[in-house]
Amino acid sequence: MSATRPDMAALWPFVADRPPAEVVTPASRAEAAGEVSRALRHGLSIVPVGAGMRLAEANLMRGVEWLAIDMTGMNRVLAYSPDDMTVVVEPGVTAGALQSALAEAGQFAALGLGSRPSETVGGLVAANAQGRRQCAYGLPRDQLLGFRAALSNGEEVRFGGCTVKNVAGYDMGKLFCGSHGTLGLITELTLRARPLPPVCSTLSPAAPSLADAVAAGMALHLARLLPTCLAATHGVGTALTVEFSGGSDTVAWQIEQARRVAAGCGMQAEAATPPEVEPSPPAIPGPGVAWLRAATVPTALEGLCRSLEPCLSRAAAHVAVGVLEAEVTLREPLDDIERRLFAAGCRHLRWTRLPQSERATRDAWRVPAAQLPLMRAVKAALDPACAFGPGRFAGRI
Amino acid sequence: MLRADQVLTDPVEMLAYECDAYTIHKGRPDVVVHPESTEQCAAVVRLCARMGVPFTPRGTGTGLSGGATPLCGGVVISIMRMNRVLSVSPADLRLRAQAGCINSTITRAAAPYGLHYAPDPSSQTACTVGGNVAENASGPHTLKYGVTANHVSGLTVALPDGSVVELGSDADEPCGYDLVGLCVGSEGTLGIVTEVTVRLTPNPRQVRTLLAVFGSVDDASRTVSRIIALGIVPCALEMMDSIIINALEDAFAMGFPRDAQALLLVELDGLGPGLDAETAAVRDLCSEHNARSVSAAASEEERARLWFARKQGVGVLGRVAPNKVTQDGLIPRSRLPEVLARIRAIAERHSVRLCNIFHAGDGNLHPCVIFDERDPDELRRVLAANEEILRLCVEVGGSITGEHGVGVEKRDAMPLMFSEADLAAMRRVKAAFDPAGLCNPGKIVPEPSAEAVPA
């Protein structure tokens, strides 16, 4: 096993039912493709690994020998054109390093803006993970302009490009975003950059409950301001966090408007210490708790929060996009929690952290069954050897 | 399954279905059908699948790359009569419509709530949202607001075996593989989209629209590059050259100066505070780059008139020559001045008449070559110039198509951008949805080259 990633050893039980046969750390595209070929020759399955913080989000892989390909050795910014607002990176570059490189030219990329700058860009894309600013910038799927990947047929492919629009051929990037490394090994990414807003200002009025904070958030959503974050948060306390970014005039004006709307909802006093807007699930799931990400529409979010009130310990409800991220204390069966969520209008659900006792039997995704045959066909088309994380994806694909 | 009035078999009536707005390639359908529901559409597809007959979905035929051309004959499935808005949820910023609903009908349905549908192709009063999904359509305002893929969250699709599947939902993010993201832009080759859930966008509170007049294309394109480089994000940034300006003057007497070499239409929007300062910055940039004049639309009517001119700019070329081919190359925005100069040189070398009207802000060029197809020598020169322009776009790191799609027009140019391995992966994805290859055959991905086919 590689001596470079001793931090990973504790994570392997959450990836597979056995440790990897080997951990390799390629330093280039050619080396990465070579490792994929070698794994295929030896009949090994493959799991790409970045910072490791989201490895426990996908299902447990069982019954296969596997190779961990640690992408943190491929961590360079390869090309950056501030005038075109595009940047080409290796997947192991950390979000923090990427943002630092772009900030020098007064720009940023709208991914990995949260509290964990050590996450890799490849990992964020593989998880299609976005934090509090999803309402303003969308998901990593909306930032990815092009990519290269090594596939299990031994070929390297490249899709998309360096332009901000492109409709040449199927949009394979959409499939790879959120695929958790189960379609191929991403070896290069081209991302959209944006101008850094000159001012960013936040308002965090305290709220009596998460549902009340969501209701106030809805009032702000309907006021049609342009927040870069609109999250009801619950933890040590409860608050509504509203963030505006842009020119100083427009930010100051919006803060004033938001203050009025919040006051109209009876929320005037700033929270002394607002809870985290992006509560971070631990890399390694703890016992007795689970983390979920539930998607619905904004008008159903308050109901979702109320349905979970008895078991919520930490939560961020992103009002404008209808997403609830929450830590729940498991005092009742997970099936009961799921039933309540779907009865309250949840459209789909992912368990992003489950206790190990649940991971052997439970699919982390709740995807409509009718979509699974197509997803299996897509997996077979892009990963014909079924080498990339078999069983780790939705429906144990 | 269908009433008699939903089926066309008369060869004369079917003439209009032989191609879309890309007229160089045509195909004769054996029958044209007009389903009115998802169920009827799926029933037709099931019949085609059972009988091994190819089928081609079609909206209103405004596509510019031959996506709706029935290359292999068979059944053309027109979605024109599936044109209803099904529901509007203003608080959730969602609208659900049948796929044949016209783009601008969606915005009209959203208007009472102060909302609109952001993708706004020039054909928006005629094109269908299903066609927009097929082509991942965009328009001038997608510079700020994004393309169709950013505004669609759910689809109902009749798959090529005739089964019906719901992909995505009205929620904001996908779950599992993003099949909605894959289907958007797949040009009707993976199935027939019958219903669409779109995101609605709040109308901007304030808008400023500027018209800058330039004495040279170079100055105008340098202004565009500078606006983008300074981090100003207009909601639209459009350029028109002198041939377009004069054609518009001939047709509509817009009042544009006939001796201008380029017009820039710049629109900025926002909540209000700070917008005037940003508009002033754009004005200054135009002046610094030798704009002869910069004027602001003084009223909504004046703004609408400017946009009318922009959206009629391609259609009006019909007055200049009997035929036109509109290219759709995409380039990195910083290369705009250089690429426009090289495109001019290509046109001169091939002795073809070429004009430019395009989305300058995102580097999406629409060089229009105007010609008379009855002159075979001119047609040959037009096709040669076209190919050279496509090669140029790829050479500078761009794409052969930014919003019109590959269709049949650019299918054989795909190897300019993609390796055989890339194309083979696309073929496998197509086969995952359509193993029999009956759904809109002959589009997007060329057949494997002879040397790539294993012996």
Side-chain angles (χ1 to χ4, degrees):
Chain A
M1 195 178 293
S2 164
T4 58
R5 297 300 299 272
D7 57 312
M8 285 288 159
L11 261 178
W12 301 142
F14 298 89
V15 176
D17 60 358
R18 66 199 68 185
E22 199 178 342
V23 181
V24 292
T25 308
S28 68
R29 252 174 52 214
E31 281 184 27
E35 293 298 349
V36 170
S37 298
R38 194 166 65 88
L40 293 168
R41 274 200 310 278
H42 290 88
L44 295 173
S45 295
I46 299 163
V47 174
V49 175
M53 290 172 194
R54 296 178 189 274
L55 279 174
E57 284 189 18
N59 290 323
L60 200 65
M61 189 167 64
R62 286 179 294 188
V64 293
E65 299 296 321
W66 60 289
L67 175 72
I69 303 188
D70 171 6
M71 300 304 287
T72 58
M74 293 175 64
N75 53 13
R76 291 171 301 163
V77 173
L78 298 172
Y80 172 36
S81 170
D83 287 357
D84 292 315
M85 290 199 268
T86 57
V87 60
V88 185
V89 299
E90 291 180 323
V93 73
T94 63
L98 171 64
Q99 302 300 1
S100 298
L102 301 187
E104 284 177 22
Q107 296 181 357
F108 76 106
L111 85 176
L113 299 166
S115 50
R116 297 198 296 204
S118 57
E119 285 205 72
T120 63
V121 170
L124 288 159
V125 167
N128 202 21
Q130 186 65 294
R132 64 180 188 262
R133 293 184 173 129
Q134 184 177 339
C135 64
Y137 305 117
L139 293 162
R141 84 192 275 277
D142 304 305
Q143 323 308 323
L144 183 68
L145 302 175
F147 71 105
R148 291 179 192 267
L151 302 184
S152 70
N153 61 359
E155 294 183 328
E156 195 183 12
V157 290
R158 184 183 67 84
F159 298 109
C162 284
T163 49
V164 291
K165 292 199 300 192
N166 193 350
V167 295
Y170 298 129
D171 191 348
M172 304 291 216
K174 295 288 190 296
L175 290 175
F176 275 72
C177 283
S179 67
H180 286 266
T182 61
L183 295 177
L185 179 69
I186 295 173
T187 55
E188 186 181 294
L189 298 147
T190 303
L191 301 163
R192 176 194 298 270
R194 300 165 187 267
L196 262 176
V199 176
C200 181
S201 189
T202 304
L203 193 69
S204 293
S209 73
L210 183 65
D212 288 322
V214 170
M218 261 321 275
L220 267 164
H221 173 60
L222 294 173
R224 307 248 169 99
L225 302 173
L226 300 172
T228 40
C229 166
L230 180 56
T233 53
H234 173 71
V236 178
T238 305
L240 175 68
T241 296
V242 195
E243 177 196 81
F244 298 102
S245 309
S248 55
D249 291 352
T250 185
V251 167
W253 184 81
Q254 290 188 92
I255 285 280
E256 191 47 42
Q257 300 295 313
R259 212 184 291 281
R260 280 185 204 160
V261 174
C265 297
M267 291 167 51
Q268 280 160 313
E270 280 279 302
T273 47
E276 281 179 286
V277 182
E278 289 173 29
S280 307
I284 295 174
V289 297
W291 287 78
L292 61 85
R293 188 173 174 95
T296 184
V297 289
T299 49
L301 194 58
E302 186 184 337
L304 245 63
C305 293
R306 288 195 191 283
S307 78
L308 285 183
E309 256 167 12
C311 56
L312 269 183
S313 43
R314 275 190 284 178
H318 301 282
V319 179
V321 290
V323 169
L324 173 65
E325 278 193 290
E327 181 191 53
V328 291
T329 308
L330 297 178
R331 298 194 197 93
E332 59 187 317
L334 286 168
D335 286 344
D336 290 355
I337 295 174
E338 286 189 4
R339 256 192 299 278
R340 286 211 308 275
L341 279 168
F342 282 103
C346 177
R347 302 305 199 260
H348 50 76
L349 172 69
R350 262 195 316 130
W351 291 102
T352 52
R353 298 292 185 281
L354 283 169
Q356 191 69 327
S357 56
E358 293 280 348
R359 287 172 55 78
T361 54
R362 182 171 293 270
D363 184 357
W365 277 264
R366 281 286 168 273
V367 174
Q371 297 184 19
L372 288 175
L374 279 178
M375 290 188 191
R376 283 198 188 93
V378 164
K379 163 82 171 172
L382 293 173
D383 179 20
C386 198
F388 285 96
R392 290 213 357 114
F393 199 63
R396 301 211 177 272
I397 291 171
Chain B
M1 185 188 297
L2 299 175
R3 299 184 309 274
D5 70 303
Q6 291 178 274
V7 181
L8 295 182
T9 52
D10 180 338
V12 176
E13 286 184 317
M14 291 197 299
L15 275 178
Y17 297 85
E18 289 186 348
C19 62
D20 55 20
Y22 173 73
T23 58
I24 290 180
H25 284 86
K26 292 181 181 172
R28 177 168 297 185
D30 296 304
V31 59
V32 176
V33 297
H34 290 283
E36 292 170 0
S37 65
T38 296
E39 294 69 31
Q40 285 189 345
C41 186
V44 172
V45 172
R46 269 196 300 278
L47 185 63
C48 290
R50 199 161 64 233
M51 299 181 69
V53 172
F55 54 94
T56 303
R58 178 186 175 94
T60 43
T62 57
L64 290 161
S65 58
T69 301
L71 281 185
C72 303
V75 181
V76 166
I77 301 178
S78 161
I79 56 167
M80 274 175 72
R81 294 192 196 171
M82 297 170 58
N83 56 9
R84 286 178 298 133
V85 171
L86 301 171
S87 63
V88 189
S89 311
D92 292 325
L93 303 177
R94 289 293 185 278
L95 179 149
R96 187 153 178 89
Q98 287 184 302
C101 190
I102 300 298
N103 174 304
S104 59
T105 302
I106 291 179
T107 282
R108 267 205 306 281
Y113 309 101
L115 302 169
H116 70 286
Y117 179 55
D120 60 340
S122 293
S123 56
Q124 72 186 122
T125 56
C127 62
T128 64
V129 69
N132 293 171
V133 166
E135 303 300 322
N136 193 10
S138 51
H141 291 83
T142 51
L143 173 62
K144 179 171 178 179
Y145 291 105
V147 298
T148 299
N150 306 115
H151 296 274
V152 171
S153 67
L155 298 173
T156 303
V157 183
L159 294 172
D161 65 358
S163 61
V164 175
V165 66
E166 298 289 332
L167 303 180
S169 68
D170 52 358
D172 209 62
E173 57 184 39
C175 190
Y177 295 136
D178 183 358
L179 299 178
V180 171
L182 174 68
C183 284
V184 174
S186 63
E187 304 191 20
T189 62
L190 304 181
I192 300 185
V193 172
T194 60
E195 292 182 14
V196 184
T197 301
V198 301
R199 292 190 177 95
L200 299 174
T201 303
N203 295 344
R205 289 186 193 217
Q206 297 205 23
V207 180
R208 305 280 186 275
T209 308
L210 298 176
L211 184 73
V213 178
F214 288 87
S216 88
V217 170
D218 266 0
D219 283 338
S221 54
R222 282 180 214 291
T223 306
V224 170
S225 293
R226 198 70 198 125
I227 290 173
I228 298 295
L230 279 187
I232 298 170
V233 185
C235 58
L237 183 44
E238 304 284 303
M239 196 195 290
M240 295 176 266
D241 75 4
S242 62
I243 294 181
I244 303 282
I245 294 167
N246 280 286
L248 285 166
E249 279 308 296
D250 291 343
F252 306 116
M254 299 295 302
F256 297 148
R258 282 186 180 272
D259 61 339
Q261 293 304 302
L263 296 181
L264 267 191
L265 185 59
V266 190
E267 192 158 278
L268 299 116
D269 70 8
L271 294 166
L275 192 55
D276 285 331
E278 208 167 48
T279 308
V282 171
R283 269 179 180 275
D284 291 347
L285 279 174
C286 292
S287 301
E288 281 167 27
H289 288 82
N290 309 317
R292 281 165 36 179
S293 67
V294 187
S295 54
S299 63
E300 183 52 33
E301 290 70 32
E302 214 171 295
R303 174 182 173 242
R305 194 167 149 74
L306 288 174
W307 278 110
F308 170 81
R310 167 60 186 88
K311 299 213 168 185
Q312 293 298 317
V314 174
V316 82
L317 288 172
R319 299 172 68 96
V320 180
N323 302 95
K324 65 176 182 295
V325 174
T326 309
Q327 290 271 350
D328 183 36
L330 204 74
I331 58 163
R333 296 173 279 200
S334 60
R335 308 288 294 268
L336 197 56
E338 170 206 344
V339 171
L340 284 181
R342 288 175 67 182
I343 286 177
R344 275 202 305 278
I346 290 170
E348 281 164 19
R349 194 161 55 252
H350 291 280
S351 302
V352 295
R353 285 179 295 166
L354 183 142
C355 50
N356 282 296
I357 174 166
F358 61 99
H359 312 307
D362 46 26
N364 191 181
L365 307 178
H366 290 318
C368 292
V369 184
I370 47 181
F371 63 102
D372 185 342
E373 69 181 1
R374 292 166 298 187
D375 177 346
D377 182 59
E378 188 177 25
L379 181 60
R380 183 189 54 74
R381 284 182 281 114
V382 166
L383 294 174
N386 268 348
E387 190 186 328
E388 213 170 310
I389 292 168
L390 285 183
R391 285 181 184 279
L392 169 61
C393 291
V394 175
E395 180 202 314
V396 299
S399 168
I400 56 174
T401 177
E403 59 184 12
H404 294 174
V406 175
V408 59
E409 181 202 18
K410 293 178 279 287
R411 180 194 60 198
D412 295 334
M414 287 284 276
L416 294 177
M417 281 186 71
F418 296 105
S419 71
E420 182 50 36
D422 305 337
L423 295 171
M426 290 189 206
R427 284 186 207 105
R428 292 197 302 275
V429 167
K430 157 82 171 163
F433 281 72
D434 180 25
L438 295 175
C439 185
N440 205 1
K443 307 293 169 61
I444 303 183
V445 188
E447 293 298 311
S449 58
E451 58 269 33
V453 179

